Structure formats: C-alpha cells, structure tokens
C-alpha cells in the first residue's frame, strides 16, 4: 500500500493533496496533448489518440474525486 492509499476515513495530508493536484494537472496536460495530436491525424491513428484522451479524462475524474 502506498502513501496515497489507506483508510478512507482519514483526511488526506497536505503532501498528499499537493501530489494529487500535480497528478491532476498532468492528466489534464496529457489529455490536451492527445486531443491536439488527434486534430492532425486521420483514420485509425486519430481514433487511438482520441481513446487515449478519453483515458486521461477518466484519470482526471479520479483525481478530482480524491480532491473532493
């Protein structure tokens, strides 16, 4: 179990919140990157990039939920 896991009844530490915010920012940047790349591609390559963007959006939702 890592430092981000544990009892859900405990409040997150400031360090955890800082790390989670960093993860959230990274997920948003990665989603934007995949979206931008997909705009320059067609066909299967574009579809894959859009799927990657969607995966990063799901990751973003996870970190938003952790942050409350």
């Amino acid at each position: 179990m890592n430092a981000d896991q544990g009892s859900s009844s405990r409040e997150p530490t400031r360090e955890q919140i800082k790390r989670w915010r960093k993860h959230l920012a990274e997920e948003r940047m990665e989603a934007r990157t995949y979206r931008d790349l997909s705009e320059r591609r067609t066909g299967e390559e574009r579809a894959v990039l859009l799927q990657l963007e969607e995966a990063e959006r799901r990751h973003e939702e996870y970190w938003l939920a952790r942050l409350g």
Side-chain angles (χ1 to χ4, degrees):
M1 187 181 303
N2 68 34
D4 288 344
Q5 296 174 330
S7 173
S8 60
S9 63
R10 288 189 297 167
E11 290 294 317
T13 65
R14 286 182 187 209
E15 185 176 305
Q16 285 175 311
I17 292 171
K18 183 178 177 181
R19 188 170 40 250
W20 296 349
R21 285 180 177 158
K22 181 177 182 282
H23 293 319
L24 175 61
E26 289 170 351
E27 301 297 356
R28 287 176 169 168
M29 180 199 61
E30 291 165 359
R32 189 170 41 250
T33 299
Y34 288 128
R35 184 183 61 246
D36 290 346
L37 288 171
S38 74
E39 291 173 358
R40 299 181 209 133
R41 302 292 192 257
T42 59
E44 187 176 341
E45 190 174 9
R46 182 173 192 275
V48 168
L49 290 165
L50 290 172
Q51 289 174 350
L52 289 168
E53 177 197 5
E54 181 56 35
E56 297 303 334
R57 294 286 177 209
R58 288 191 303 273
H59 299 163
E60 175 186 352
E61 291 172 12
Y62 171 83
W63 292 115
L64 284 170
R66 294 293 302 250
L67 288 164

